Amino acid sequence: MALDTVEVTLSLDTAQYADGDVLAATQEITGVFRAGYNRGTLWSVTINDKDDQGVAIDLVLLRSNVALGTENSAPNISDANASEIIGFVPIATSDYTDLGGARIATKRLDDGLVLESSTTSLWIAAITRGGTPTYTAAGLVVKLGIELA
């Protein structure tokens, strides 16, 4: 088993969000899995909040490209598409460390989260869970620590 880190810069709306809005619409992370080995276990998540917002968010991991909803609006996913959700990783305000101009949050998953996909890609989306943050278009970078099966 090999531990790998994959990184994605979330594409964000630059207008002010409300609590519960889709922060980042579903985005593909390519090359997460090796062909024929489309499973892994997520052990850690690190978020670089370049805009120093430090707002609680839920990361939503999906096994295919289905819409969670429109950015800066409430989630609106169909029942059929919701079955593509692998899991949620909640990031609390208290998970962030303030570094002055940025905040970093690291979340370790003690039990791990099994990931699977029918391709070598994984999809990610996010929901804001507090405050009224405003981000730049590339203000959040997410790193996933995955043990590949």
Side-chain angles (χ1 to χ4, degrees), residues 10-18 20-27 47 49 53 55-59 68-75 96 125-129 133-137 140 142:
L10 298 180
S11 175
L12 306 170
D13 188 339
T14 58
Q16 189 174 47
Y17 288 88
D21 279 353
V22 173
L23 179 63
T26 305
Q27 297 169 49
I47 298 178
D49 180 350
Q53 298 294 299
V55 172
I57 63 174
D58 283 340
L59 294 177
L68 181 64
T70 303
E71 289 176 358
N72 231 329
S73 297
Y96 289 94
I127 302 168
T128 183
R129 292 298 183 197
T134 303
Y135 292 94
T136 56
L140 289 175
V142 178

Side-chain angles (χ1 to χ4, degrees), residues 90-112:
I91 306 295
T93 302
S94 60
D95 291 331
Y96 289 94
T97 299
D98 191 348
L99 299 174
R103 293 178 195 233
I104 304 291
T106 298
K107 184 87 170 214
R108 291 183 183 14
L109 287 72
D110 293 335
D111 295 329

Side-chain angles (χ1 to χ4, degrees), residues 73-91:
S73 297
N76 184 16
I77 188 168
S78 71
D79 292 345
N81 287 348
S83 66
E84 295 300 300
I85 295 173
I86 299 168
F88 287 80
V89 179
I91 306 295

Side-chain angles (χ1 to χ4, degrees), residues 25-88:
T26 305
Q27 297 169 49
E28 183 177 13
I29 309 172
T30 59
V32 173
F33 305 108
R34 296 184 299 261
Y37 298 93
N38 300 352
R39 290 179 58 91
T41 303
L42 178 66
W43 292 106
S44 67
V45 174
T46 300
I47 298 178
N48 178 355
D49 180 350
K50 296 178 180 183
D51 296 323
D52 200 23
Q53 298 294 299
V55 172
I57 63 174
D58 283 340
L59 294 177
V60 184
L61 300 167
L62 305 109
R63 63 178 162 216
S64 68
N65 187 15
V66 297
L68 181 64
T70 303
E71 289 176 358
N72 231 329
S73 297
N76 184 16
I77 188 168
S78 71
D79 292 345
N81 287 348
S83 66
E84 295 300 300
I85 295 173
I86 299 168
F88 287 80

